[in-house]
Amino acid sequence: MTGLPWDASYRDGPAPWDIDGPQPAIVNLASNGVFAGAVLDAGCGTGENALHLASLGLSVLGVDVAETALAIAREKATDRGLEVEFAVADAFQLEGLGRTFDTVLDCGLFHTFDSDERPRYVASLASVTARDGTLYVLCFSDSGPDTGPHPVSREDLRSAFNPSSGWNIAAIESERVHTRFHDNGAPARLATLKRA
Ligand SMILES: C[S@@+](CC[C@H](N)C(=O)[O-])C[C@H]1O[C@@H](n2cnc3c(N)ncnc32)[C@H](O)[C@@H]1O
């Protein structure tokens, strides 16, 4: 993954998933107080979810391969007077960060990877998630009308996240992912994964 195709999607106006605000599902999740400790936002894009979590007083690192997205995210943080760290990092090599996190967020990244890429990504996530830490994955669902691209089934989640890959599934709930192309969001799954 060079990151260049991803970066291009941020250069000429907002990308389809860049909705000028945090995902409502993440706002709702955060309102339940489940984000705690050091937080990593993997594939943070222009940072709206990370910025929302920081506005709640959390310590957040957002990483992405797209430098253009990160520049936009940093500018928003400055404009809003929020302290958030944004860094270039490949989600397949998160161990290179040399840090662990209590809560990890994946909003729209897991579903972009092919099934043969997912084991490496899941292992990378496990390498930076503290024991008993929690990972939240919000992804397009294959269930329902008007699905988004690369929809994910329950079985996809079960085969990626299991005790042998270092994870226990605590919950898989139905949600929506908002995009610029879906009036009321696309069907989504919100998975809660506990580090085994
Ligand atoms: C669908 S976008 C979601 C962005 C953001 N989480 C949001 O909700 O707006 C997926 C993001 O993952 C980033 N990405 C793709 N592959 C990556 C990788 N290997 N490592 C880090 N980030 C990656 C892309 O640049 C893009 O910003």
Side-chain angles (χ1 to χ4, degrees), residues 174-195:
S174 295
E175 259 300 350
R176 311 290 292 174
V177 167
H178 289 253
T179 79
R180 291 183 175 270
F181 298 142
H182 295 83
D183 285 342
N184 297 306
R189 298 187 192 282
L190 174 63
T192 303
L193 296 321
K194 296 296 290 182
R195 183 76 174 89

Side-chain angles (χ1 to χ4, degrees), residues 1-2 59 68-69 102 105 108 140 150 154-155 185:
M1 302 291 290
T2 64
S59 161
T68 302
D102 304 292
L105 172 64
F140 287 130
H150 311 290
R154 282 178 173 272
E155 191 42 43

Side-chain angles (χ1 to χ4, degrees), residues 1 6 10 17 43-45 49 64-66 89-92 107-109 113:
M1 302 291 290
W6 282 106
Y10 287 103
W17 56 84
C44 63
N49 297 309
D64 205 288
V65 283
D90 185 347
F92 289 103
C107 179
L109 180 55
F113 296 136

Side-chain angles (χ1 to χ4, degrees), residues 42-102:
C44 63
T46 67
E48 288 292 348
N49 297 309
L51 288 160
H52 176 68
L53 297 175
S55 77
L56 301 176
L58 289 151
S59 161
V60 188
L61 169 65
V63 298
D64 205 288
V65 283
E67 303 251 15
T68 302
L70 293 171
I72 296 168
R74 288 188 193 107
E75 204 174 310
K76 287 183 197 173
T78 302
D79 290 349
R80 298 178 198 179
L82 290 169
E83 287 234 354
V84 188
E85 202 183 340
F86 290 108
V88 177
D90 185 347
F92 289 103
Q93 298 179 50
L94 294 171
E95 63 281 359
L97 294 172
R99 290 153 69 168
T100 56
F101 300 86
D102 304 292

